[in-house]
Amino acid sequence: MHKKLFIPGPVDVREDVLQQMTKPMIGHRTKDASALQRRISEKLQKVFYTNEEILLSTSSGSGLMEGAIRSCTRKRAAVFSVGAFGDRWYEMAVANNVPADKFSVEQGKATTAEMVDEVLSTGKYDLITVTHNETSSGVMNPVEEISEVMKKYPEVIWCLDTVSSMAGTKIEVDKLGVDICITSTQKCIGLPPGMAIASMSKKAVEAAKEVPYRGVYLDLLALYDYIQKKDYQYPSTPALSLMYALDYQLDRILEEGLENRYARHLEMAQYVREWAKKNFELFPEERYASNTLTTIKNTRNIDVSALNKALGERGFTISNGYGKLKDKTFRISHMADYTLDEVKSLIAAIDDILGL
Amino acid sequence: MHKKLFIPGPVDVREDVLQQMTKPMIGHRTKDASALQRRISEKLQKVFYTNEEILLSTSSGSGLMEGAIRSCTRKRAAVFSVGAFGDRWYEMAVANNVPADKFSVEQGKATTAEMVDEVLSTGKYDLITVTHNETSSGVMNPVEEISEVMKKYPEVIWCLDTVSSMAGTKIEVDKLGVDICITSTQKCIGLPPGMAIASMSKKAVEAAKEVPYRGVYLDLLALYDYIQKKDYQYPSTPALSLMYALDYQLDRILEEGLENRYARHLEMAQYVREWAKKNFELFPEERYASNTLTTIKNTRNIDVSALNKALGERGFTISNGYGKLKDKTFRISHMADYTLDEVKSLIAAIDDILGL
């Protein structure tokens, strides 16, 4: 029996979307391939609220995160971490010999505008990375407030990890002033894993030109330049099947309407949060609680693995806490094409199993 | 109308194989995910004739080529190039600040054992890269002869690009002594693009441990370590749909029988070569002619684009020459699941169009 995945990615993908991946191959150096990538880019510009170029990468979101910090840090990067995925960005800097410092907060807290301001006021940094939605703690950072502060530092490149939030909540890339905004297919976009997506501002393009060793495959400038020179083609052979599915799914997303999609995500989040507050506690500060997944403090000390096993027998699966938060928290995601009714069925099953 | 792709990847994928990609998602941190990757690895060990570990990467073959030269060059790499894809390996070294020298031959010639011996006898290099099958020139390098020479240099890591040959012709990785053998899904394996595959010897693992800055996403040691620590899982979210298709297609390949598969490839190659010799000329030296694609010297000065357009109307497509070889050569690939009858239909169509 297939278990419905209420985990923070991969998410369940609709049958008609999966079916797109059975379309026959085309040459990746044809006009059809250019048209496919251009179509996808134009639709993604709407989802990202950007006029900047959209880069596609046959990699996971981690691939483009690494590419971003390596390609665009000229002097030193400030990595703001609120959990596992912020920490990962710092590890990427270290592994690439990119000078960087990490600024962490206690798990469950957010990166605040004040923190960013304080760090950047030192003048030491020319790039920052921020996790928009941290899937370990369930924190959604206040990017609007950070955006206000960033206006004071026009020379600093802003990289934002929206892997688990883009298309699930409104992120107006150009208005916020985000230079490199990264997501991947298997979260709120509602596709299988295998492709990462980023917007890249002209400021980031200029920054990358100053960095001598950017590698090749994950070099954002190489992806950008290839689009310009080869009319929306990809330097190597891209994951065509996923591109077919992405092209189709973006139509579905735009047909639903972005505002409707965000409202649906928020409705599911609010339902899970209210349930969590009634029966457990929210792990993050409530004002920073994510709209795409909820991390719940295991105040009843339930056996999360046993719960998940029992849920499995009913066709559902949720996530245990991530890393050090295992068993101390558990996570319910509500992203992509799930509906409030499906979330209600899951919660009803949990209530029944736990006798709540 | 779909045009049958006689280009050197992506190749046409069988309907039943494509259908595998419609299977529902599973969590990538589950026992099912481990079992899937372990199954794939065991089958790939047969295709690679290796007992070493198999690494999967959500990237193109280029991704793992870059990972290999960056992860395992301690001192200096010798890059043997017979065309565009050898040159690409050198560019990857340069872009990662990996010390390297390139040893090129005229297009159409091969990397010989003597060349490798002469270069390595200087003692300057601890890693070499060789292109097994160069899709620009249609040269298949004499890896058995190179293997004999490599026995004299046990400290040198051997990286082999078999992107367009693995599963189409016999490459006995362990017997040859190849340390890192790289391929990808969209060539002779007969799947859509989106995943790269490599074997990694223990010698290469030890070499990588000495290299300080290997990055993260394309770091071969990180992929290797994760398999050991997490029981055949992948550090980030892998391209699950392609893994489903790979799992299935490897069964098909092993059912056909590897020797039968190589014989079928050779039979198709010989048919195209004989036709080419009768009507044009082979571009590579015949003893080094590839078994998976044929590069043909355009001795009749035909208009390759016009030919391809006319072929398109009949449901076929072939490739023009690559880079500088455009119009001077053209290429017919015969790899993956194509049959001799299909190749004959293509050749008959070309004969008819050109009045041969």
mmCIF file of all heavy atoms in Angstrom, chain A residues 205-242:
data_model
loop_
_atom_site.group_PDB
_atom_site.id
_atom_site.type_symbol
_atom_site.label_atom_id
_atom_site.label_comp_id
_atom_site.label_asym_id
_atom_site.label_seq_id
_atom_site.Cartn_x
_atom_site.Cartn_y
_atom_site.Cartn_z
ATOM 1 N N VAL A 205 25.159 38.073 -11.052
ATOM 2 C CA VAL A 205 25.940 37.736 -12.248
ATOM 3 C C VAL A 205 27.267 38.492 -12.230
ATOM 4 O O VAL A 205 28.338 37.912 -12.457
ATOM 5 C CB VAL A 205 25.144 38.067 -13.542
ATOM 6 C CG1 VAL A 205 26.022 37.967 -14.776
ATOM 7 C CG2 VAL A 205 23.922 37.155 -13.669
ATOM 8 N N GLU A 206 27.196 39.777 -11.925
ATOM 9 C CA GLU A 206 28.425 40.585 -11.889
ATOM 10 C C GLU A 206 29.359 40.118 -10.780
ATOM 11 O O GLU A 206 30.574 40.077 -10.960
ATOM 12 C CB GLU A 206 28.085 42.078 -11.721
ATOM 13 C CG GLU A 206 27.377 42.696 -12.927
ATOM 14 C CD GLU A 206 28.099 42.440 -14.248
ATOM 15 O OE1 GLU A 206 29.336 42.629 -14.305
ATOM 16 O OE2 GLU A 206 27.438 42.027 -15.230
ATOM 17 N N ALA A 207 28.792 39.747 -9.649
ATOM 18 C CA ALA A 207 29.618 39.252 -8.533
ATOM 19 C C ALA A 207 30.356 37.986 -8.944
ATOM 20 O O ALA A 207 31.558 37.830 -8.698
ATOM 21 C CB ALA A 207 28.739 38.984 -7.306
ATOM 22 N N ALA A 208 29.641 37.071 -9.593
ATOM 23 C CA ALA A 208 30.249 35.790 -9.980
ATOM 24 C C ALA A 208 31.428 36.003 -10.921
ATOM 25 O O ALA A 208 32.416 35.258 -10.870
ATOM 26 C CB ALA A 208 29.203 34.881 -10.627
ATOM 27 N N LYS A 209 31.337 37.037 -11.753
ATOM 28 C CA LYS A 209 32.431 37.293 -12.696
ATOM 29 C C LYS A 209 33.745 37.606 -11.983
ATOM 30 O O LYS A 209 34.813 37.474 -12.555
ATOM 31 C CB LYS A 209 32.056 38.464 -13.628
ATOM 32 C CG LYS A 209 30.997 38.090 -14.653
ATOM 33 C CD LYS A 209 30.633 39.290 -15.535
ATOM 34 C CE LYS A 209 29.479 38.931 -16.471
ATOM 35 N NZ LYS A 209 28.936 40.139 -17.132
ATOM 36 N N GLU A 210 33.648 38.036 -10.734
ATOM 37 C CA GLU A 210 34.859 38.374 -9.976
ATOM 38 C C GLU A 210 35.446 37.180 -9.229
ATOM 39 O O GLU A 210 36.503 37.295 -8.621
ATOM 40 C CB GLU A 210 34.544 39.480 -8.963
ATOM 41 C CG GLU A 210 34.179 40.811 -9.600
ATOM 42 C CD GLU A 210 33.772 41.824 -8.545
ATOM 43 O OE1 GLU A 210 34.342 41.801 -7.434
ATOM 44 O OE2 GLU A 210 32.846 42.614 -8.824
ATOM 45 N N VAL A 211 34.724 36.051 -9.234
ATOM 46 C CA VAL A 211 35.182 34.887 -8.471
ATOM 47 C C VAL A 211 35.929 33.944 -9.415
ATOM 48 O O VAL A 211 35.366 33.482 -10.406
ATOM 49 C CB VAL A 211 33.982 34.158 -7.821
ATOM 50 C CG1 VAL A 211 34.443 32.899 -7.091
ATOM 51 C CG2 VAL A 211 33.242 35.101 -6.872
ATOM 52 N N PRO A 212 37.208 33.677 -9.139
ATOM 53 C CA PRO A 212 37.992 32.932 -10.128
ATOM 54 C C PRO A 212 37.638 31.439 -10.245
ATOM 55 O O PRO A 212 37.552 30.923 -11.349
ATOM 56 C CB PRO A 212 39.434 33.108 -9.636
ATOM 57 C CG PRO A 212 39.332 33.460 -8.186
ATOM 58 C CD PRO A 212 38.022 34.148 -8.000
ATOM 59 N N TYR A 213 37.441 30.758 -9.119
ATOM 60 C CA TYR A 213 37.229 29.308 -9.194
ATOM 61 C C TYR A 213 35.813 28.954 -8.768
ATOM 62 O O TYR A 213 35.516 28.821 -7.595
ATOM 63 C CB TYR A 213 38.261 28.575 -8.333
ATOM 64 C CG TYR A 213 39.673 28.869 -8.802
ATOM 65 C CD1 TYR A 213 40.564 29.567 -8.000
ATOM 66 C CD2 TYR A 213 40.089 28.480 -10.076
ATOM 67 C CE1 TYR A 213 41.846 29.864 -8.441
ATOM 68 C CE2 TYR A 213 41.365 28.771 -10.536
ATOM 69 C CZ TYR A 213 42.233 29.460 -9.709
ATOM 70 O OH TYR A 213 43.494 29.757 -10.156
ATOM 71 N N ARG A 214 34.949 28.812 -9.739
ATOM 72 C CA ARG A 214 33.541 28.535 -9.452
ATOM 73 C C ARG A 214 33.160 27.112 -9.810
ATOM 74 O O ARG A 214 32.001 26.735 -9.686
ATOM 75 C CB ARG A 214 32.646 29.505 -10.241
ATOM 76 C CG ARG A 214 32.898 30.974 -9.952
ATOM 77 C CD ARG A 214 31.951 31.854 -10.739
ATOM 78 N NE ARG A 214 31.982 31.518 -12.151
ATOM 79 C CZ ARG A 214 32.776 32.055 -13.068
ATOM 80 N NH1 ARG A 214 33.618 33.008 -12.714
ATOM 81 N NH2 ARG A 214 32.744 31.657 -14.325
ATOM 82 N N GLY A 215 34.127 26.293 -10.254
ATOM 83 C CA GLY A 215 33.777 24.977 -10.761
ATOM 84 C C GLY A 215 33.027 25.111 -12.072
ATOM 85 O O GLY A 215 33.015 26.195 -12.685
ATOM 86 N N VAL A 216 32.380 24.050 -12.505
ATOM 87 C CA VAL A 216 31.660 24.066 -13.781
ATOM 88 C C VAL A 216 30.191 23.679 -13.593
ATOM 89 O O VAL A 216 29.288 24.462 -13.848
ATOM 90 C CB VAL A 216 32.319 23.111 -14.813
ATOM 91 C CG1 VAL A 216 31.490 23.043 -16.092
ATOM 92 C CG2 VAL A 216 33.739 23.554 -15.135
ATOM 93 N N TYR A 217 29.958 22.474 -13.078
ATOM 94 C CA TYR A 217 28.595 21.940 -13.100
ATOM 95 C C TYR A 217 27.634 22.758 -12.246
ATOM 96 O O TYR A 217 26.475 22.938 -12.614
ATOM 97 C CB TYR A 217 28.591 20.474 -12.649
ATOM 98 C CG TYR A 217 27.267 19.818 -12.915
ATOM 99 C CD1 TYR A 217 26.915 19.421 -14.196
ATOM 100 C CD2 TYR A 217 26.344 19.638 -11.892
ATOM 101 C CE1 TYR A 217 25.680 18.853 -14.464
ATOM 102 C CE2 TYR A 217 25.109 19.062 -12.142
ATOM 103 C CZ TYR A 217 24.785 18.674 -13.425
ATOM 104 O OH TYR A 217 23.560 18.117 -13.686
ATOM 105 N N LEU A 218 28.109 23.244 -11.115
ATOM 106 C CA LEU A 218 27.244 24.016 -10.212
ATOM 107 C C LEU A 218 27.517 25.513 -10.294
ATOM 108 O O LEU A 218 27.036 26.278 -9.461
ATOM 109 C CB LEU A 218 27.419 23.520 -8.768
ATOM 110 C CG LEU A 218 27.115 22.029 -8.534
ATOM 111 C CD1 LEU A 218 27.488 21.634 -7.107
ATOM 112 C CD2 LEU A 218 25.660 21.702 -8.819
ATOM 113 N N ASP A 219 28.284 25.913 -11.289
ATOM 114 C CA ASP A 219 28.593 27.336 -11.463
ATOM 115 C C ASP A 219 27.364 28.055 -11.985
ATOM 116 O O ASP A 219 26.906 27.827 -13.105
ATOM 117 C CB ASP A 219 29.758 27.478 -12.450
ATOM 118 C CG ASP A 219 30.037 28.935 -12.797
ATOM 119 O OD1 ASP A 219 29.614 29.827 -12.033
ATOM 120 O OD2 ASP A 219 30.678 29.171 -13.842
ATOM 121 N N LEU A 220 26.832 28.950 -11.176
ATOM 122 C CA LEU A 220 25.618 29.664 -11.585
ATOM 123 C C LEU A 220 25.856 30.537 -12.813
ATOM 124 O O LEU A 220 24.975 30.687 -13.660
ATOM 125 C CB LEU A 220 25.096 30.514 -10.418
ATOM 126 C CG LEU A 220 24.060 29.815 -9.517
ATOM 127 C CD1 LEU A 220 24.596 28.547 -8.913
ATOM 128 C CD2 LEU A 220 23.556 30.753 -8.455
ATOM 129 N N LEU A 221 27.062 31.091 -12.902
ATOM 130 C CA LEU A 221 27.351 31.951 -14.055
ATOM 131 C C LEU A 221 27.384 31.132 -15.347
ATOM 132 O O LEU A 221 26.936 31.609 -16.402
ATOM 133 C CB LEU A 221 28.678 32.696 -13.844
ATOM 134 C CG LEU A 221 29.041 33.729 -14.907
ATOM 135 C CD1 LEU A 221 27.965 34.795 -15.067
ATOM 136 C CD2 LEU A 221 30.390 34.390 -14.578
ATOM 137 N N ALA A 222 27.893 29.908 -15.271
ATOM 138 C CA ALA A 222 27.911 29.044 -16.465
ATOM 139 C C ALA A 222 26.487 28.732 -16.921
ATOM 140 O O ALA A 222 26.189 28.753 -18.119
ATOM 141 C CB ALA A 222 28.667 27.749 -16.157
ATOM 142 N N LEU A 223 25.598 28.458 -15.978
ATOM 143 C CA LEU A 223 24.194 28.199 -16.325
ATOM 144 C C LEU A 223 23.574 29.445 -16.953
ATOM 145 O O LEU A 223 22.873 29.365 -17.965
ATOM 146 C CB LEU A 223 23.399 27.804 -15.070
ATOM 147 C CG LEU A 223 23.753 26.463 -14.425
ATOM 148 C CD1 LEU A 223 23.029 26.311 -13.079
ATOM 149 C CD2 LEU A 223 23.385 25.294 -15.335
ATOM 150 N N TYR A 224 23.865 30.581 -16.342
ATOM 151 C CA TYR A 224 23.322 31.853 -16.829
ATOM 152 C C TYR A 224 23.819 32.159 -18.243
ATOM 153 O O TYR A 224 23.047 32.469 -19.145
ATOM 154 C CB TYR A 224 23.730 32.973 -15.854
ATOM 155 C CG TYR A 224 23.233 34.343 -16.239
ATOM 156 C CD1 TYR A 224 22.008 34.805 -15.786
ATOM 157 C CD2 TYR A 224 23.989 35.177 -17.062
ATOM 158 C CE1 TYR A 224 21.538 36.060 -16.144
ATOM 159 C CE2 TYR A 224 23.532 36.436 -17.425
ATOM 160 C CZ TYR A 224 22.301 36.868 -16.966
ATOM 161 O OH TYR A 224 21.845 38.105 -17.329
ATOM 162 N N ASP A 225 25.126 32.048 -18.428
ATOM 163 C CA ASP A 225 25.720 32.368 -19.734
ATOM 164 C C ASP A 225 25.198 31.442 -20.828
ATOM 165 O O ASP A 225 24.980 31.870 -21.960
ATOM 166 C CB ASP A 225 27.249 32.237 -19.669
ATOM 167 C CG ASP A 225 27.887 33.447 -19.004
ATOM 168 O OD1 ASP A 225 27.196 34.472 -18.843
ATOM 169 O OD2 ASP A 225 29.078 33.363 -18.634
ATOM 170 N N TYR A 226 25.009 30.172 -20.486
ATOM 171 C CA TYR A 226 24.545 29.217 -21.496
ATOM 172 C C TYR A 226 23.149 29.570 -21.982
ATOM 173 O O TYR A 226 22.832 29.450 -23.163
ATOM 174 C CB TYR A 226 24.580 27.796 -20.923
ATOM 175 C CG TYR A 226 24.949 26.785 -21.978
ATOM 176 C CD1 TYR A 226 26.290 26.500 -22.245
ATOM 177 C CD2 TYR A 226 23.978 26.137 -22.728
ATOM 178 C CE1 TYR A 226 26.644 25.602 -23.225
ATOM 179 C CE2 TYR A 226 24.326 25.225 -23.712
ATOM 180 C CZ TYR A 226 25.662 24.960 -23.952
ATOM 181 O OH TYR A 226 26.003 24.065 -24.931
ATOM 182 N N ILE A 227 22.325 30.033 -21.066
ATOM 183 C CA ILE A 227 20.964 30.456 -21.440
ATOM 184 C C ILE A 227 21.023 31.617 -22.435
ATOM 185 O O ILE A 227 20.286 31.647 -23.419
ATOM 186 C CB ILE A 227 20.166 30.854 -20.170
ATOM 187 C CG1 ILE A 227 19.818 29.599 -19.371
ATOM 188 C CG2 ILE A 227 18.914 31.649 -20.527
ATOM 189 C CD1 ILE A 227 19.300 29.876 -17.975
ATOM 190 N N GLN A 228 21.937 32.556 -22.180
ATOM 191 C CA GLN A 228 22.050 33.715 -23.078
ATOM 192 C C GLN A 228 22.592 33.294 -24.446
ATOM 193 O O GLN A 228 22.075 33.690 -25.484
ATOM 194 C CB GLN A 228 22.993 34.790 -22.490
ATOM 195 C CG GLN A 228 22.846 35.063 -20.999
ATOM 196 C CD GLN A 228 21.434 35.430 -20.575
ATOM 197 O OE1 GLN A 228 20.768 36.208 -21.248
ATOM 198 N NE2 GLN A 228 20.954 34.853 -19.485
ATOM 199 N N LYS A 229 23.644 32.474 -24.414
ATOM 200 C CA LYS A 229 24.334 32.134 -25.669
ATOM 201 C C LYS A 229 23.585 31.108 -26.484
ATOM 202 O O LYS A 229 23.658 31.087 -27.699
ATOM 203 C CB LYS A 229 25.743 31.604 -25.363
ATOM 204 C CG LYS A 229 26.724 32.674 -24.935
ATOM 205 C CD LYS A 229 28.095 32.066 -24.616
ATOM 206 C CE LYS A 229 28.913 32.989 -23.725
ATOM 207 N NZ LYS A 229 29.921 32.266 -22.943
ATOM 208 N N LYS A 230 22.912 30.186 -25.817
ATOM 209 C CA LYS A 230 22.307 29.057 -26.530
ATOM 210 C C LYS A 230 20.791 29.077 -26.455
ATOM 211 O O LYS A 230 20.157 28.024 -26.577
ATOM 212 C CB LYS A 230 22.847 27.731 -25.960
ATOM 213 C CG LYS A 230 24.357 27.572 -26.071
ATOM 214 C CD LYS A 230 24.769 27.115 -27.466
ATOM 215 C CE LYS A 230 26.281 26.921 -27.513
ATOM 216 N NZ LYS A 230 26.719 26.335 -28.785
ATOM 217 N N ASP A 231 20.211 30.248 -26.242
ATOM 218 C CA ASP A 231 18.764 30.386 -26.292
ATOM 219 C C ASP A 231 18.045 29.369 -25.392
ATOM 220 O O ASP A 231 17.309 28.504 -25.873
ATOM 221 C CB ASP A 231 18.281 30.238 -27.753
ATOM 222 C CG ASP A 231 16.807 30.602 -27.884
ATOM 223 O OD1 ASP A 231 16.299 31.337 -27.016
ATOM 224 O OD2 ASP A 231 16.183 30.141 -28.850
ATOM 225 N N TYR A 232 18.270 29.498 -24.116
ATOM 226 C CA TYR A 232 17.571 28.673 -23.117
ATOM 227 C C TYR A 232 17.868 27.190 -23.247
ATOM 228 O O TYR A 232 16.968 26.364 -23.146
ATOM 229 C CB TYR A 232 16.064 28.940 -23.126
ATOM 230 C CG TYR A 232 15.757 30.282 -22.530
ATOM 231 C CD1 TYR A 232 15.774 31.417 -23.301
ATOM 232 C CD2 TYR A 232 15.530 30.408 -21.161
ATOM 233 C CE1 TYR A 232 15.556 32.667 -22.752
ATOM 234 C CE2 TYR A 232 15.311 31.651 -20.609
ATOM 235 C CZ TYR A 232 15.323 32.773 -21.406
ATOM 236 O OH TYR A 232 15.121 34.006 -20.848
ATOM 237 N N GLN A 233 19.156 26.890 -23.471
ATOM 238 C CA GLN A 233 19.534 25.484 -23.356
ATOM 239 C C GLN A 233 20.407 25.295 -22.122
ATOM 240 O O GLN A 233 20.722 26.243 -21.407
ATOM 241 C CB GLN A 233 20.223 25.009 -24.634
ATOM 242 C CG GLN A 233 19.227 24.889 -25.789
ATOM 243 C CD GLN A 233 19.815 24.272 -27.031
ATOM 244 O OE1 GLN A 233 20.948 23.838 -27.062
ATOM 245 N NE2 GLN A 233 19.013 24.249 -28.086
ATOM 246 N N TYR A 234 20.773 24.041 -21.887
ATOM 247 C CA TYR A 234 21.451 23.655 -20.653
ATOM 248 C C TYR A 234 22.837 23.125 -21.033
ATOM 249 O O TYR A 234 22.958 22.410 -22.028
ATOM 250 C CB TYR A 234 20.584 22.578 -19.983
ATOM 251 C CG TYR A 234 21.028 22.175 -18.599
ATOM 252 C CD1 TYR A 234 20.805 23.022 -17.518
ATOM 253 C CD2 TYR A 234 21.653 20.959 -18.370
ATOM 254 C CE1 TYR A 234 21.205 22.658 -16.246
ATOM 255 C CE2 TYR A 234 22.054 20.588 -17.097
ATOM 256 C CZ TYR A 234 21.830 21.442 -16.036
ATOM 257 O OH TYR A 234 22.226 21.077 -14.773
ATOM 258 N N PRO A 235 23.888 23.442 -20.247
ATOM 259 C CA PRO A 235 25.246 23.067 -20.662
ATOM 260 C C PRO A 235 25.451 21.567 -20.894
ATOM 261 O O PRO A 235 26.193 21.186 -21.774
ATOM 262 C CB PRO A 235 26.120 23.552 -19.496
ATOM 263 C CG PRO A 235 25.329 24.603 -18.810
ATOM 264 C CD PRO A 235 23.892 24.224 -18.991
ATOM 265 N N SER A 236 24.815 20.728 -20.100
ATOM 266 C CA SER A 236 24.901 19.281 -20.346
ATOM 267 C C SER A 236 23.482 18.786 -20.663
ATOM 268 O O SER A 236 22.612 19.577 -20.984
ATOM 269 C CB SER A 236 25.540 18.574 -19.149
ATOM 270 O OG SER A 236 24.912 18.952 -17.946
ATOM 271 N N THR A 237 23.269 17.478 -20.610
ATOM 272 C CA THR A 237 21.928 16.982 -20.944
ATOM 273 C C THR A 237 21.028 17.098 -19.723
ATOM 274 O O THR A 237 21.324 16.502 -18.691
ATOM 275 C CB THR A 237 22.003 15.500 -21.410
ATOM 276 O OG1 THR A 237 23.189 15.315 -22.196
ATOM 277 C CG2 THR A 237 20.784 15.124 -22.209
ATOM 278 N N PRO A 238 19.949 17.877 -19.813
ATOM 279 C CA PRO A 238 19.109 18.099 -18.628
ATOM 280 C C PRO A 238 18.111 16.961 -18.413
ATOM 281 O O PRO A 238 17.884 16.141 -19.303
ATOM 282 C CB PRO A 238 18.368 19.389 -18.975
ATOM 283 C CG PRO A 238 18.218 19.346 -20.461
ATOM 284 C CD PRO A 238 19.433 18.625 -20.994
ATOM 285 N N ALA A 239 17.501 16.945 -17.243
ATOM 286 C CA ALA A 239 16.502 15.925 -16.896
ATOM 287 C C ALA A 239 15.195 16.232 -17.627
ATOM 288 O O ALA A 239 14.263 16.819 -17.069
ATOM 289 C CB ALA A 239 16.304 15.899 -15.381
ATOM 290 N N LEU A 240 15.134 15.839 -18.897
ATOM 291 C CA LEU A 240 14.007 16.201 -19.765
ATOM 292 C C LEU A 240 12.656 15.773 -19.202
ATOM 293 O O LEU A 240 11.683 16.528 -19.265
ATOM 294 C CB LEU A 240 14.212 15.575 -21.150
ATOM 295 C CG LEU A 240 15.345 16.195 -21.980
ATOM 296 C CD1 LEU A 240 15.714 15.280 -23.140
ATOM 297 C CD2 LEU A 240 14.944 17.572 -22.506
ATOM 298 N N SER A 241 12.569 14.563 -18.657
ATOM 299 C CA SER A 241 11.272 14.067 -18.179
ATOM 300 C C SER A 241 10.716 14.969 -17.084
ATOM 301 O O SER A 241 9.521 15.271 -17.051
ATOM 302 C CB SER A 241 11.413 12.639 -17.641
ATOM 303 O OG SER A 241 12.098 11.840 -18.562
ATOM 304 N N LEU A 242 11.603 15.391 -16.190
ATOM 305 C CA LEU A 242 11.168 16.305 -15.131
ATOM 306 C C LEU A 242 10.787 17.663 -15.699
ATOM 307 O O LEU A 242 9.875 18.324 -15.187
ATOM 308 C CB LEU A 242 12.283 16.484 -14.104
ATOM 309 C CG LEU A 242 12.171 15.647 -12.849
ATOM 310 C CD1 LEU A 242 13.398 15.843 -11.978
ATOM 311 C CD2 LEU A 242 10.914 15.985 -12.054
#
